[in-house]
Amino acid sequence: MTTPCASAHPEGLAGVVRGFTPNWFAATMGTGILALLLPHVPVPGAALLGEGLWWMNMAVFAVFTGLSVARLALYPHESRATLVHPVQSMFLGALPMGLATLINGLIVYGVPRWGAGAAWLARDLWAFDALLSVLVGLLVPYVMFTRQDHALERMTGVWLLPVVASEVAAASAGLIAPHLSEHAAAPLVYAGYVLFALSVPLALMLIAVLILRLAQHGLPTPDLAVSMFLPLGPLATGALALLQLGDAAPRVLAAQGLGALAPTLTGMGLVGGLVLWGFGGWWLALATMTTLHVLRRGLPFNLGWWGLTFPLGVYAAATFSLGALTHLNVFSTLGHVLVTALTALWTLVTVRTVRGACSGHLFAAALLPREQGLPATVPGPLPHAS
């Protein structure tokens, strides 16, 4: 038996499995971050809607994981082609980042409903997610250097996806730690700063190279135009990680007799968070202007459009965290504006994704160059549908 969407594909469910690629997990990232932000909105029922989205996202993540495992088992050739593909392989970072939004939901929604047990479950799942983030952040660049063919003029923001997963895990550590005992929270706080170090410096280096690429070779092609928003992700998540770790660290340090260091980490969270948040605001404005510039020439829909949602969402989360720390209403007001924009974008991209999936276009267009008889190192576009 096949679903209506699967039956729309010329090859049925087999075609859906064969054409399923890691960039689908970007949908769980965008949906997950919206679910986590809705409780900040002062609208009746917003938190309940957010919890519903969180449950829905868990179901979607489970389906996507099942499709990935099925593709790996049934179509090993296509799976290997994904690993060496210079664009699709970058989206392997979306797996741990999508999972992180589910883990964070255990804190936002699970703890109020089920108590401390939800926090301990989040801690255990976080350990797996952190390990997966580190592996992706190391192995994908290794494959880039040894098996793929890249050039400066073909570089886009998708290069950031494998390395940014570690700082997403760092931010999750800062969110989970306050709900654990001091002894259990300590490994998360210390690991959080290490994960930050494994991601943010690399992301800043890549952003510097990306600016050089944009200055020398201009904007990406229209099918990759929305990738301009991706650098906002590591900037916003880096700010969020510093703020949340800075909030969680004092209790841990005090329990270890290191309480004198607590103001340093809290201050580092505020200053570092503000610096990265400010840089993120500049990039958000730049990405918006360049995307509108490309929009005049036509902006084809593809799964890369989900790259609009998660970066904007974590920037909103960092904005709310700054508001909570500084008690400045401007951050809270701006956060509400960002969540409103995110909700509109999520609705648009979700509708277009469901339409493209049910028509079969998003799966049929996902064939990688190697699957089409071309060299695996030829950079192909993201799957797209008209």
Side-chain angles (χ1 to χ4, degrees), residues 223-251:
D223 57 329
L224 290 169
V226 295
S227 67
M228 284 292 296
F229 279 89
L230 293 179
L232 176 62
L235 298 173
T237 309
L240 183 64
L242 285 178
L243 288 162
Q244 294 188 160
L245 289 170
D247 179 62
R251 186 172 64 101

PDB file of all heavy atoms in Angstrom, residues 223-251:
ATOM      1  N   ASP A 223      18.494  28.848  -8.122  1.00  0.00           N
ATOM      2  CA  ASP A 223      18.040  27.676  -7.379  1.00  0.00           C
ATOM      3  C   ASP A 223      18.753  27.530  -6.043  1.00  0.00           C
ATOM      4  O   ASP A 223      18.326  26.759  -5.184  1.00  0.00           O
ATOM      5  CB  ASP A 223      18.211  26.398  -8.213  1.00  0.00           C
ATOM      6  CG  ASP A 223      19.642  26.183  -8.663  1.00  0.00           C
ATOM      7  OD1 ASP A 223      20.345  27.178  -8.862  1.00  0.00           O
ATOM      8  OD2 ASP A 223      20.052  25.016  -8.823  1.00  0.00           O
ATOM      9  N   LEU A 224      19.854  28.279  -5.850  1.00  0.00           N
ATOM     10  CA  LEU A 224      20.573  28.256  -4.582  1.00  0.00           C
ATOM     11  C   LEU A 224      20.561  29.620  -3.889  1.00  0.00           C
ATOM     12  O   LEU A 224      21.300  29.844  -2.931  1.00  0.00           O
ATOM     13  CB  LEU A 224      22.022  27.818  -4.809  1.00  0.00           C
ATOM     14  CG  LEU A 224      22.225  26.352  -5.205  1.00  0.00           C
ATOM     15  CD1 LEU A 224      23.657  26.115  -5.654  1.00  0.00           C
ATOM     16  CD2 LEU A 224      21.879  25.423  -4.057  1.00  0.00           C
ATOM     17  N   ALA A 225      19.733  30.525  -4.361  1.00  0.00           N
ATOM     18  CA  ALA A 225      19.749  31.903  -3.858  1.00  0.00           C
ATOM     19  C   ALA A 225      19.426  31.984  -2.379  1.00  0.00           C
ATOM     20  O   ALA A 225      20.020  32.780  -1.635  1.00  0.00           O
ATOM     21  CB  ALA A 225      18.781  32.768  -4.654  1.00  0.00           C
ATOM     22  N   VAL A 226      18.477  31.158  -1.905  1.00  0.00           N
ATOM     23  CA  VAL A 226      18.087  31.250  -0.491  1.00  0.00           C
ATOM     24  C   VAL A 226      19.174  30.733   0.439  1.00  0.00           C
ATOM     25  O   VAL A 226      19.086  30.910   1.657  1.00  0.00           O
ATOM     26  CB  VAL A 226      16.764  30.496  -0.232  1.00  0.00           C
ATOM     27  CG1 VAL A 226      15.614  31.148  -0.958  1.00  0.00           C
ATOM     28  CG2 VAL A 226      16.884  29.031  -0.605  1.00  0.00           C
ATOM     29  N   SER A 227      20.223  30.098  -0.122  1.00  0.00           N
ATOM     30  CA  SER A 227      21.337  29.671   0.721  1.00  0.00           C
ATOM     31  C   SER A 227      22.057  30.868   1.332  1.00  0.00           C
ATOM     32  O   SER A 227      22.863  30.698   2.259  1.00  0.00           O
ATOM     33  CB  SER A 227      22.330  28.821  -0.074  1.00  0.00           C
ATOM     34  OG  SER A 227      22.984  29.594  -1.071  1.00  0.00           O
ATOM     35  N   MET A 228      21.773  32.072   0.847  1.00  0.00           N
ATOM     36  CA  MET A 228      22.350  33.271   1.443  1.00  0.00           C
ATOM     37  C   MET A 228      21.931  33.437   2.902  1.00  0.00           C
ATOM     38  O   MET A 228      22.599  34.109   3.687  1.00  0.00           O
ATOM     39  CB  MET A 228      21.940  34.504   0.641  1.00  0.00           C
ATOM     40  CG  MET A 228      22.690  34.674  -0.673  1.00  0.00           C
ATOM     41  SD  MET A 228      24.437  35.060  -0.425  1.00  0.00           S
ATOM     42  CE  MET A 228      24.336  36.654   0.386  1.00  0.00           C
ATOM     43  N   PHE A 229      20.815  32.824   3.301  1.00  0.00           N
ATOM     44  CA  PHE A 229      20.361  32.935   4.688  1.00  0.00           C
ATOM     45  C   PHE A 229      21.111  31.986   5.625  1.00  0.00           C
ATOM     46  O   PHE A 229      21.060  32.166   6.837  1.00  0.00           O
ATOM     47  CB  PHE A 229      18.859  32.651   4.776  1.00  0.00           C
ATOM     48  CG  PHE A 229      17.995  33.819   4.404  1.00  0.00           C
ATOM     49  CD1 PHE A 229      17.614  34.016   3.094  1.00  0.00           C
ATOM     50  CD2 PHE A 229      17.565  34.726   5.363  1.00  0.00           C
ATOM     51  CE1 PHE A 229      16.827  35.105   2.730  1.00  0.00           C
ATOM     52  CE2 PHE A 229      16.773  35.809   5.015  1.00  0.00           C
ATOM     53  CZ  PHE A 229      16.399  36.000   3.692  1.00  0.00           C
ATOM     54  N   LEU A 230      21.777  30.987   5.091  1.00  0.00           N
ATOM     55  CA  LEU A 230      22.374  29.963   5.940  1.00  0.00           C
ATOM     56  C   LEU A 230      23.443  30.505   6.897  1.00  0.00           C
ATOM     57  O   LEU A 230      23.537  30.032   8.038  1.00  0.00           O
ATOM     58  CB  LEU A 230      22.940  28.832   5.081  1.00  0.00           C
ATOM     59  CG  LEU A 230      21.888  28.000   4.334  1.00  0.00           C
ATOM     60  CD1 LEU A 230      22.556  26.917   3.495  1.00  0.00           C
ATOM     61  CD2 LEU A 230      20.897  27.375   5.302  1.00  0.00           C
ATOM     62  N   PRO A 231      24.299  31.467   6.515  1.00  0.00           N
ATOM     63  CA  PRO A 231      25.265  31.985   7.492  1.00  0.00           C
ATOM     64  C   PRO A 231      24.621  32.615   8.722  1.00  0.00           C
ATOM     65  O   PRO A 231      25.269  32.716   9.770  1.00  0.00           O
ATOM     66  CB  PRO A 231      26.052  33.021   6.685  1.00  0.00           C
ATOM     67  CG  PRO A 231      25.975  32.534   5.272  1.00  0.00           C
ATOM     68  CD  PRO A 231      24.586  31.973   5.153  1.00  0.00           C
ATOM     69  N   LEU A 232      23.370  33.040   8.615  1.00  0.00           N
ATOM     70  CA  LEU A 232      22.690  33.567   9.790  1.00  0.00           C
ATOM     71  C   LEU A 232      22.578  32.499  10.869  1.00  0.00           C
ATOM     72  O   LEU A 232      22.598  32.811  12.069  1.00  0.00           O
ATOM     73  CB  LEU A 232      21.301  34.078   9.399  1.00  0.00           C
ATOM     74  CG  LEU A 232      20.407  34.587  10.534  1.00  0.00           C
ATOM     75  CD1 LEU A 232      21.045  35.780  11.230  1.00  0.00           C
ATOM     76  CD2 LEU A 232      19.016  34.958   9.983  1.00  0.00           C
ATOM     77  N   GLY A 233      22.472  31.239  10.454  1.00  0.00           N
ATOM     78  CA  GLY A 233      22.309  30.137  11.399  1.00  0.00           C
ATOM     79  C   GLY A 233      23.434  30.032  12.413  1.00  0.00           C
ATOM     80  O   GLY A 233      23.187  30.073  13.629  1.00  0.00           O
ATOM     81  N   PRO A 234      24.704  29.870  11.969  1.00  0.00           N
ATOM     82  CA  PRO A 234      25.776  29.759  12.962  1.00  0.00           C
ATOM     83  C   PRO A 234      25.984  31.012  13.787  1.00  0.00           C
ATOM     84  O   PRO A 234      26.377  30.924  14.959  1.00  0.00           O
ATOM     85  CB  PRO A 234      27.017  29.449  12.106  1.00  0.00           C
ATOM     86  CG  PRO A 234      26.661  29.855  10.725  1.00  0.00           C
ATOM     87  CD  PRO A 234      25.180  29.639  10.607  1.00  0.00           C
ATOM     88  N   LEU A 235      25.731  32.185  13.222  1.00  0.00           N
ATOM     89  CA  LEU A 235      25.868  33.409  13.999  1.00  0.00           C
ATOM     90  C   LEU A 235      24.823  33.460  15.112  1.00  0.00           C
ATOM     91  O   LEU A 235      25.137  33.753  16.281  1.00  0.00           O
ATOM     92  CB  LEU A 235      25.729  34.628  13.092  1.00  0.00           C
ATOM     93  CG  LEU A 235      26.787  34.757  11.990  1.00  0.00           C
ATOM     94  CD1 LEU A 235      26.446  35.916  11.054  1.00  0.00           C
ATOM     95  CD2 LEU A 235      28.171  34.938  12.589  1.00  0.00           C
ATOM     96  N   ALA A 236      23.585  33.152  14.769  1.00  0.00           N
ATOM     97  CA  ALA A 236      22.511  33.182  15.765  1.00  0.00           C
ATOM     98  C   ALA A 236      22.658  32.060  16.776  1.00  0.00           C
ATOM     99  O   ALA A 236      22.472  32.266  17.988  1.00  0.00           O
ATOM    100  CB  ALA A 236      21.160  33.092  15.055  1.00  0.00           C
ATOM    101  N   THR A 237      22.989  30.857  16.297  1.00  0.00           N
ATOM    102  CA  THR A 237      23.124  29.727  17.214  1.00  0.00           C
ATOM    103  C   THR A 237      24.317  29.910  18.127  1.00  0.00           C
ATOM    104  O   THR A 237      24.283  29.523  19.306  1.00  0.00           O
ATOM    105  CB  THR A 237      23.257  28.415  16.425  1.00  0.00           C
ATOM    106  OG1 THR A 237      22.215  28.317  15.459  1.00  0.00           O
ATOM    107  CG2 THR A 237      23.172  27.219  17.363  1.00  0.00           C
ATOM    108  N   GLY A 238      25.407  30.506  17.599  1.00  0.00           N
ATOM    109  CA  GLY A 238      26.549  30.797  18.453  1.00  0.00           C
ATOM    110  C   GLY A 238      26.185  31.755  19.569  1.00  0.00           C
ATOM    111  O   GLY A 238      26.588  31.570  20.730  1.00  0.00           O
ATOM    112  N   ALA A 239      25.410  32.788  19.240  1.00  0.00           N
ATOM    113  CA  ALA A 239      24.947  33.723  20.267  1.00  0.00           C
ATOM    114  C   ALA A 239      24.069  33.015  21.284  1.00  0.00           C
ATOM    115  O   ALA A 239      24.218  33.196  22.502  1.00  0.00           O
ATOM    116  CB  ALA A 239      24.185  34.877  19.605  1.00  0.00           C
ATOM    117  N   LEU A 240      23.154  32.182  20.789  1.00  0.00           N
ATOM    118  CA  LEU A 240      22.241  31.463  21.685  1.00  0.00           C
ATOM    119  C   LEU A 240      23.008  30.515  22.594  1.00  0.00           C
ATOM    120  O   LEU A 240      22.700  30.401  23.795  1.00  0.00           O
ATOM    121  CB  LEU A 240      21.208  30.699  20.857  1.00  0.00           C
ATOM    122  CG  LEU A 240      20.132  29.935  21.621  1.00  0.00           C
ATOM    123  CD1 LEU A 240      19.257  30.897  22.420  1.00  0.00           C
ATOM    124  CD2 LEU A 240      19.276  29.113  20.658  1.00  0.00           C
ATOM    125  N   ALA A 241      24.007  29.834  22.055  1.00  0.00           N
ATOM    126  CA  ALA A 241      24.790  28.891  22.852  1.00  0.00           C
ATOM    127  C   ALA A 241      25.522  29.616  23.983  1.00  0.00           C
ATOM    128  O   ALA A 241      25.520  29.164  25.137  1.00  0.00           O
ATOM    129  CB  ALA A 241      25.780  28.142  21.965  1.00  0.00           C
ATOM    130  N   LEU A 242      26.167  30.750  23.673  1.00  0.00           N
ATOM    131  CA  LEU A 242      26.882  31.504  24.712  1.00  0.00           C
ATOM    132  C   LEU A 242      25.930  32.002  25.785  1.00  0.00           C
ATOM    133  O   LEU A 242      26.253  31.984  26.984  1.00  0.00           O
ATOM    134  CB  LEU A 242      27.624  32.676  24.078  1.00  0.00           C
ATOM    135  CG  LEU A 242      28.893  32.342  23.294  1.00  0.00           C
ATOM    136  CD1 LEU A 242      29.483  33.607  22.674  1.00  0.00           C
ATOM    137  CD2 LEU A 242      29.931  31.666  24.183  1.00  0.00           C
ATOM    138  N   LEU A 243      24.762  32.457  25.377  1.00  0.00           N
ATOM    139  CA  LEU A 243      23.790  32.972  26.342  1.00  0.00           C
ATOM    140  C   LEU A 243      23.252  31.862  27.236  1.00  0.00           C
ATOM    141  O   LEU A 243      23.157  32.024  28.462  1.00  0.00           O
ATOM    142  CB  LEU A 243      22.642  33.660  25.599  1.00  0.00           C
ATOM    143  CG  LEU A 243      22.989  35.010  24.959  1.00  0.00           C
ATOM    144  CD1 LEU A 243      21.957  35.390  23.906  1.00  0.00           C
ATOM    145  CD2 LEU A 243      23.075  36.093  26.034  1.00  0.00           C
ATOM    146  N   GLN A 244      22.906  30.719  26.656  1.00  0.00           N
ATOM    147  CA  GLN A 244      22.321  29.636  27.446  1.00  0.00           C
ATOM    148  C   GLN A 244      23.373  28.931  28.301  1.00  0.00           C
ATOM    149  O   GLN A 244      23.092  28.546  29.438  1.00  0.00           O
ATOM    150  CB  GLN A 244      21.593  28.652  26.534  1.00  0.00           C
ATOM    151  CG  GLN A 244      20.377  29.290  25.867  1.00  0.00           C
ATOM    152  CD  GLN A 244      19.487  28.339  25.102  1.00  0.00           C
ATOM    153  OE1 GLN A 244      18.314  28.639  24.835  1.00  0.00           O
ATOM    154  NE2 GLN A 244      20.018  27.207  24.709  1.00  0.00           N
ATOM    155  N   LEU A 245      24.583  28.765  27.782  1.00  0.00           N
ATOM    156  CA  LEU A 245      25.643  28.194  28.604  1.00  0.00           C
ATOM    157  C   LEU A 245      26.039  29.148  29.726  1.00  0.00           C
ATOM    158  O   LEU A 245      26.316  28.723  30.856  1.00  0.00           O
ATOM    159  CB  LEU A 245      26.862  27.864  27.731  1.00  0.00           C
ATOM    160  CG  LEU A 245      26.705  26.677  26.778  1.00  0.00           C
ATOM    161  CD1 LEU A 245      27.872  26.611  25.805  1.00  0.00           C
ATOM    162  CD2 LEU A 245      26.584  25.362  27.558  1.00  0.00           C
ATOM    163  N   GLY A 246      26.064  30.454  29.425  1.00  0.00           N
ATOM    164  CA  GLY A 246      26.368  31.434  30.456  1.00  0.00           C
ATOM    165  C   GLY A 246      25.339  31.462  31.557  1.00  0.00           C
ATOM    166  O   GLY A 246      25.651  31.762  32.724  1.00  0.00           O
ATOM    167  N   ASP A 247      24.098  31.129  31.225  1.00  0.00           N
ATOM    168  CA  ASP A 247      23.042  31.067  32.226  1.00  0.00           C
ATOM    169  C   ASP A 247      23.133  29.792  33.064  1.00  0.00           C
ATOM    170  O   ASP A 247      22.822  29.798  34.264  1.00  0.00           O
ATOM    171  CB  ASP A 247      21.680  31.137  31.531  1.00  0.00           C
ATOM    172  CG  ASP A 247      20.521  31.065  32.512  1.00  0.00           C
ATOM    173  OD1 ASP A 247      20.411  31.969  33.358  1.00  0.00           O
ATOM    174  OD2 ASP A 247      19.747  30.085  32.452  1.00  0.00           O
ATOM    175  N   ALA A 248      23.586  28.695  32.425  1.00  0.00           N
ATOM    176  CA  ALA A 248      23.644  27.416  33.123  1.00  0.00           C
ATOM    177  C   ALA A 248      24.914  27.240  33.936  1.00  0.00           C
ATOM    178  O   ALA A 248      24.939  26.464  34.910  1.00  0.00           O
ATOM    179  CB  ALA A 248      23.530  26.271  32.108  1.00  0.00           C
ATOM    180  N   ALA A 249      25.994  27.927  33.571  1.00  0.00           N
ATOM    181  CA  ALA A 249      27.303  27.675  34.171  1.00  0.00           C
ATOM    182  C   ALA A 249      27.420  28.062  35.650  1.00  0.00           C
ATOM    183  O   ALA A 249      28.074  27.336  36.413  1.00  0.00           O
ATOM    184  CB  ALA A 249      28.387  28.390  33.365  1.00  0.00           C
ATOM    185  N   PRO A 250      26.859  29.191  36.121  1.00  0.00           N
ATOM    186  CA  PRO A 250      27.104  29.596  37.516  1.00  0.00           C
ATOM    187  C   PRO A 250      26.752  28.537  38.551  1.00  0.00           C
ATOM    188  O   PRO A 250      27.512  28.324  39.510  1.00  0.00           O
ATOM    189  CB  PRO A 250      26.227  30.844  37.674  1.00  0.00           C
ATOM    190  CG  PRO A 250      26.168  31.422  36.294  1.00  0.00           C
ATOM    191  CD  PRO A 250      26.122  30.240  35.384  1.00  0.00           C
ATOM    192  N   ARG A 251      25.645  27.859  38.399  1.00  0.00           N
ATOM    193  CA  ARG A 251      25.247  26.841  39.381  1.00  0.00           C
ATOM    194  C   ARG A 251      26.243  25.684  39.401  1.00  0.00           C
ATOM    195  O   ARG A 251      26.585  25.161  40.463  1.00  0.00           O
ATOM    196  CB  ARG A 251      23.835  26.339  39.046  1.00  0.00           C
ATOM    197  CG  ARG A 251      23.244  25.380  40.057  1.00  0.00           C
ATOM    198  CD  ARG A 251      21.792  25.119  39.727  1.00  0.00           C
ATOM    199  NE  ARG A 251      21.672  24.445  38.446  1.00  0.00           N
ATOM    200  CZ  ARG A 251      21.467  23.119  38.320  1.00  0.00           C
ATOM    201  NH1 ARG A 251      21.380  22.371  39.403  1.00  0.00           N
ATOM    202  NH2 ARG A 251      21.346  22.578  37.133  1.00  0.00           N
TER     203      ARG A 251
END
